[in-house]
Amino acid sequence: MIQDTVTPNTGTAPRPRTQYIGVSTKAYFGYERTLDWLNDVREIVLARPGLAAAGVVPFVVPSDPTLPEAIRILAGTGVVVGAQDVAWGDGPLTGEVPATMLTELGVGIVELGHAERRALFGEDDAAIARKHRAAAAAGLTSLLCVGERDRIDPDTAAGVCFAQVAAVLPDDQAAPLLLAYEPVWAIGAPQAADPGHVNAVVDALRRRVESAWPGLQFGIVYGGSAGPGLLADLDAVDGLFLGRFAHDARNLGTVLDEASARSRFSQQFSQRNFAPQ
């Protein structure tokens, strides 16, 4: 489980938010190519020993057959390993992977509700909610993907996203989680959604979630053609969920550097403006 996430806004001196920088390989790589990529990620993260102090948490979400090797390769690096999906139960579910097995392996997070799962495999909110309950019971942190299908105004988009969150989370949700704001129309596009749109949607979504689940620890990352150079323009997010741009691990290193730089600036700003007089 991912611990330390965004603290609720209490009106006191803010502390810099933890930033989550993640990558999904989807089904682009074969087995050996995935292992090569994971070894590249290991070297890139180990070359940046200040990530933890900067509050930057890297995570990777490779294909299921590579999970044991991913955990072995990334041991001791601080990188959290995630799964791309999970079963809503165990027992007679041929072809499925139960949450308890993922926990036993050492997986920390599980991706739920991606637009491709919805569109290509017919998953609806009810199915995603069942998977979330199974993940939570097994001690996994859900990475819940939400997003509007078409280009609409930010407030309406935030409403669509919140409805997806509300359909999945129970009223008594207490375990920390991550939300991935991924507008469907931006997934696989030549470029990410406009930063102004992303910031407005994430701000509105954050307020609605905080109102519905007071005190809940959660972060919101942006995904959808996200890559290097984007994070600096997204003040509202708690990190990025990268796709194909980070399949070249060097681009992941660039984004980790950008996240570290933003954290250092945030810490300096907080100390300069809120330190006791």
Side-chain angles (χ1 to χ4, degrees), residues 25-147:
T25 63
K26 300 192 178 184
Y28 284 108
F29 296 165
Y31 187 84
E32 292 298 332
R33 173 70 182 92
T34 302
L35 300 192
D36 289 342
W37 180 82
L38 289 166
N39 277 296
D40 289 342
V41 169
R42 174 181 174 84
E43 295 305 314
I44 282 168
V45 171
L46 289 178
R48 293 162 171 82
L51 291 175
V56 178
V57 178
F59 66 93
V60 297
V61 191
S63 299
D64 281 353
T66 67
L67 287 174
E69 279 297 287
I71 291 163
R72 181 189 66 80
I73 290 169
L74 296 171
T77 66
V79 178
V80 179
V81 176
Q84 295 182 17
D85 193 25
V86 69
W88 45 258
D90 54 19
L93 299 174
T94 301
E96 293 293 306
V97 179
T100 50
M101 180 182 290
L102 294 178
T103 301
E104 185 179 354
L105 282 173
V107 168
I109 62 175
V110 62
E111 183 180 358
L112 299 176
H114 192 279
E116 292 161 358
R117 297 294 309 177
R118 292 176 180 267
L120 300 177
F121 299 97
E123 291 191 0
D124 58 14
D125 289 336
I128 297 164
R130 293 182 75 184
K131 292 183 175 186
H132 171 67
R133 289 195 294 271
L140 297 168
T141 296
S142 291
L143 172 64
L144 177 60
C145 301
V146 297

Side-chain angles (χ1 to χ4, degrees), residues 4-22:
D4 189 29
T5 147
V6 181
T7 52
N9 182 6
T10 61
T12 59
R15 78 169 171 85
R17 293 198 296 260
T18 301
Q19 295 183 88
Y20 303 96
I21 305 297

